[in-house]
């Protein structure tokens, strides 16, 4: 158990819909990262927040957005969903804001778009 | 596009054999991290290398960072069934963090 929690574990929704994935970092960690893992694309970095502010942006689509709240939990919002958005979405946390810190991954949310 | 490639993509070994996965970046990396993901699980941090030419060992695992900081390798000596999983390298270039394509290891008992 990494100490990072993600909800829900599974999500099935239809194309065009919007969903919100939630992540609670390990106690004491200030950074939250979001990743998308699909069979053909591997692990893709989406976005990072550090202490409530966006720190780095990766391959995140405009239809996706995220935020980190004052209690440090984070939400990833996916809208106008397409079949290709079906994937495993991981949240990770680390104590610091740079890329030199060990990242602790949550169990993931499996999103299926039908 | 993908900037960090790993080879091989898949590797099947007999228990007790050695295993090596190679990680290659098109750009210089500030650091390299290695993660292991068991089937159905999430990535788990193994180690971080920062210095050019650095070598670190963890029991049967040996990690190397290339002199040019563009490549890295993970070598497992005498594999065990508990080594099964996908091994990912990941590194920072600029303000981006890239995961490698991963090497899936199967260990045949």
């Amino acid at each position: 158990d990494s100490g990072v929690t993600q909800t829900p574990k599974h999500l099935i929704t239809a194309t065009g819909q919007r969903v919100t994935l939630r992540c609670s970092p390990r106690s004491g960690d200030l950074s939250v990262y979001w990743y998308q893992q699909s069979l053909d694309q591997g692990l893709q970095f989406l976005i990072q927040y550090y202490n409530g502010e966006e720190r780095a942006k990766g391959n995140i689509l405009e239809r996706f957005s995220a935020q980190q709240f004052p209690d440090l939990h984070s939400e990833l919002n996916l809208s106008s969903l397409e079949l290709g958005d079906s994937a495993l979405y991981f949240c990770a946390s680390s104590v610091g804001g740079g890329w030199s810190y060990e990242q602790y991954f949550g169990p993931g949310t499996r999103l299926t778009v039908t | 596009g993908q900037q960090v490639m790993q080879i091989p993509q898949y590797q099947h070994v007999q228990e007790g054999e050695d295993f090596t996965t190679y990680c290659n970046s098109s750009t210089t990396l500030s650091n390299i991290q290695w993660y292991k993901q068991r089937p159905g699980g999430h990535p788990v941090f193994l180690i971080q290398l920062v210095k050019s030419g650095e070598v670190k060992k963890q029991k049967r695992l040996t990690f190397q960072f290339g002199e040019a900081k563009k490549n890295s390798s993970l070598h497992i000596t005498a594999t065990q069934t508990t080594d099964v999983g996908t091994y990912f390298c990941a590194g920072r270039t600029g303000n981006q963090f890239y995961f490698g394509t991963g090497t899936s290891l199967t260990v045949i008992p």
Side-chain angles (χ1 to χ4, degrees):
Chain A
D1 182 8
S2 65
V4 178
T5 59
Q6 287 187 250
T7 56
K9 286 187 178 179
H10 302 277
L11 200 47
I12 302 174
T13 189
T15 54
Q17 294 298 304
R18 171 190 168 96
V19 297
T20 298
L21 313 184
R22 183 187 168 102
C23 167
S24 291
R26 281 190 334 151
S27 176
D29 284 358
L30 298 178
S31 256
V32 168
Y33 311 78
W34 285 98
Y35 293 90
Q36 180 192 58
Q37 186 174 41
S38 55
L39 286 175
D40 58 344
Q41 292 289 320
L43 262 168
Q44 298 287 319
F45 165 67
L46 297 178
I47 198 163
Q48 179 203 4
Y49 281 83
Y50 175 73
N51 205 19
E53 297 201 358
E54 183 182 306
R55 177 61 71 98
K57 217 171 200 179
N59 297 322
I60 187 165
L61 300 172
E62 284 192 14
R63 300 183 285 109
F64 296 0
S65 65
Q67 54 183 326
Q68 186 179 29
F69 294 87
D71 67 352
L72 300 178
H73 90 271
S74 178
E75 292 181 356
L76 178 66
N77 300 296
L78 315 176
S79 62
S80 302
L81 285 167
E82 302 174 359
L83 295 177
D85 297 327
S86 295
L88 194 50
Y89 290 84
F90 285 109
C91 162
S93 74
S94 68
V95 62
W99 291 108
S100 301
Y101 295 91
E102 175 178 349
Q103 294 181 44
Y104 294 86
F105 281 75
T109 292
R110 182 166 293 283
L111 174 66
T112 303
V113 182
T114 61
Chain B
Q2 186 63 262
Q3 291 190 306
V4 182
M5 304 298 293
Q6 279 182 255
I7 54 170
Q9 189 175 359
Y10 302 97
Q11 183 79 60
H12 291 67
V13 299
Q14 207 71 36
E15 189 174 15
E17 291 182 340
D18 292 358
F19 159 77
T20 303
T21 172
Y22 299 92
C23 175
N24 296 292
S25 170
S26 56
T27 57
T28 302
L29 300 170
S30 302
N31 64 343
I32 194 95
Q33 295 180 345
W34 284 90
Y35 290 80
K36 175 184 178 182
Q37 185 175 18
R38 292 182 186 275
H42 57 271
V44 174
F45 177 85
L46 294 176
I47 207 159
Q48 174 171 264
L49 305 169
V50 177
K51 299 176 186 174
S52 168
E54 190 170 10
V55 178
K56 285 188 177 180
K57 293 190 177 185
Q58 284 181 352
K59 297 182 181 178
R60 295 178 295 105
L61 278 60
T62 301
F63 304 84
Q64 283 191 298
F65 200 8
E67 293 291 340
K69 300 183 79 172
K70 283 188 172 184
N71 54 70
S72 181
S73 65
L74 157 58
H75 179 83
I76 302 178
T77 304
T79 54
Q80 300 175 358
T81 54
T82 52
D83 295 326
V84 164
T86 300
Y87 292 84
F88 293 97
C89 63
R92 177 172 73 93
T93 178
N95 197 29
Q96 290 295 308
F97 196 68
Y98 296 98
F99 269 80
T101 46
T103 295
S104 176
L105 173 64
T106 300
V107 179
I108 305 162

